[in-house]
């Protein structure tokens, strides 16, 4: 309450709780901070819910212990840490392999002659860096975007066991294992954090390998209508919530539309653009071959179970507000 006098509040809190003067309390706060960031975590949810966005802020907060509320500053710090090698960002895909991720052999062409060299992937490199004695007090973060697009069990190999918290180097049940193509024993250092993102529209969390689910903490990220603002006279948050409720009823909650598509959109023109460039293609993919369902989702854009041509901005705004398909309305009129 800005009308209240807050003079002395900080001193009273310090006196009562000792938040700033007690060494024991400071230690407890540090321990609690560690609990907030598990060594292995996956952010999962529908597309456009800010998963990749949050990996950036989480990575910086893990390493620095704090994060700037200004995303531009946070991203700048992220880039600095990435340049220093404390953060690596990779994306899994269908052809990604253990040899790409950990260690493998690759051909090397020099002067028309082919030879084969040992290649160390991003996980091996960042783990080796984190393991160095001079870096033991630093934290390192590996971000794996779209982690469920790859064959996770095949890519991780023996790491699926070694990344477990209690199996990390220096912990109670520490383990090491020999690497493919190398005879050395390898263990995962305790100062290496793994953050993955998972698009549930591609693969339900229920279908994720149980071994992976047991070793990662999963944080759900769902659409948030309260982060959106009305666009001129149009109630975007209400329309957004209704759209996702329809999708949930016809498919499931994992195929909802994320709020990030609409963040910062403040004009009809911007809303028109993002709908036709991002939202409509996604809905067409969800309801491919099912025009009657698409008509229930966006009735104002369908006619006789066919998608209308691209509407003008004024017609577009009217279509957004239409609650029922025109064909259904006509049918009801005929029956009446």
């Amino acid at each position: 309450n800005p009308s209240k006098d807050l003079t002395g509040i900080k001193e009273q809190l310090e006196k009562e709780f000792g938040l700033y003067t007690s060494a024991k309390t400071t230690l407890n706060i540090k321990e609690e901070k560690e609990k907030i960031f598990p060594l292995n975590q996956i952010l999962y949810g529908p597309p456009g819910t800010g998963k990749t966005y949050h990996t950036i802020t989480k990575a910086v907060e893990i390493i620095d212990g704090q994060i700037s509320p200004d995303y531009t500053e946070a991203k700048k710090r992220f880039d600095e840490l990435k340049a220093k090698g404390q953060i690596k960002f990779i994306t899994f895909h269908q052809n990604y392999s253990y040899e790409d991720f950990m260690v493998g052999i690759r051909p090397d062409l020099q002067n028309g002659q082919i030879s084969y060299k040992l290649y160390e992937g991003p996980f091996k490199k960042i783990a080796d860096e984190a393991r160095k004695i001079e870096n033991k007090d630093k934290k390192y973060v590996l971000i794996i975007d779209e982690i469920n697009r790859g064959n996770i069990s095949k890519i991780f190999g023996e790491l699926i066991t070694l990344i477990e918290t209690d199996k990390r180097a220096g912990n109670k049940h520490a383990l090491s294992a020999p690497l493919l193509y190398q005879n050395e024993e390898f263990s995962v250092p305790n100062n290496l954090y793994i953050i993955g993102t998972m698009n549930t529209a591609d693969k339900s969390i229920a279908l994720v390998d149980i071994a992976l689910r047991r070793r990662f903490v999963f944080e759900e990220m769902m659409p948030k209508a309260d982060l959106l603002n009305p666009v001129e006279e149009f109630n975007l948050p209400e329309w957004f919530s209704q759209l996702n409720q329809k999708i949930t009823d016809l498919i499931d909650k994992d195929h909802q539309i994320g709020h990030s598509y609409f963040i910062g959109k403040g004009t009809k023109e911007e809303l028109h653009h993002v709908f036709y460039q991002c939202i409509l293609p996604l809905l067409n993919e969800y309801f491919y071959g099912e025009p009657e369902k698409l008509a229930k989702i966006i009735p104002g854009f369908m006619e006789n179970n066919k998608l209308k041509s691209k509407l003008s901005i004024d017609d577009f705004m009217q279509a957004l507000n239409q609650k029922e398909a025109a064909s259904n309305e006509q049918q009801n009129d005929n029956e009446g």
Side-chain angles (χ1 to χ4, degrees), residues 84-128:
K84 290 179 180 179
Q86 283 185 259
I87 296 175
K88 282 187 179 295
F89 186 101
I90 62 174
T91 302
F92 277 3
H93 52 78
Q94 291 180 342
N95 293 326
Y96 207 84
S97 67
Y98 175 91
E99 288 78 6
D100 297 316
F101 186 57
M102 190 62 184
V103 63
I105 295 176
R106 287 186 174 180
D108 181 61
L109 183 62
Q110 295 289 340
N111 299 321
Q113 298 296 318
I114 295 180
S115 60
Y116 292 89
K117 292 185 177 181
L118 193 65
Y119 167 81
E120 293 187 346
F123 190 93
K124 178 70 163 54
K125 288 179 179 178
I126 197 171
D128 286 347

Side-chain angles (χ1 to χ4, degrees), residues 63 85-89 101 120-132 135 139-143 186 189 191-194:
I63 294 173
Q86 283 185 259
I87 296 175
K88 282 187 179 295
F89 186 101
F101 186 57
E120 293 187 346
F123 190 93
K124 178 70 163 54
K125 288 179 179 178
I126 197 171
D128 286 347
E129 193 67 22
R131 189 183 293 106
K132 291 179 179 178
N135 294 332
K139 295 179 180 178
Y140 290 76
V141 179
L142 175 65
I143 299 173
F186 179 84
N191 57 338
L192 174 57
Y193 293 75
I194 303 171

Side-chain angles (χ1 to χ4, degrees), residues 51-83:
K51 297 180 292 297
T52 304
Y53 173 98
H54 279 84
T55 62
I56 292 173
T57 57
K58 280 181 178 290
V60 173
E61 192 169 6
I62 286 171
I63 294 173
D64 289 347
Q66 58 185 3
I67 187 72
S68 171
D70 183 350
Y71 180 75
T72 301
E73 288 297 319
K75 181 58 167 62
K76 181 180 178 181
R77 179 57 178 160
F78 174 87
D79 292 336
E80 291 173 356
L81 293 168
K82 190 168 178 285

Side-chain angles (χ1 to χ4, degrees), residues 35-44 165 194-196 205 212-220:
K35 294 178 183 178
I36 294 175
F37 302 109
L39 287 173
N40 309 316
Q41 60 181 308
I42 289 178
L43 310 181
Y44 72 97
T165 300
I194 303 171
I195 305 176
I205 189 175
L212 183 76
R213 292 173 64 185
R214 187 168 65 84
R215 290 166 171 86
F216 280 80
V217 172
F218 283 76
E219 180 180 340
E220 186 177 51

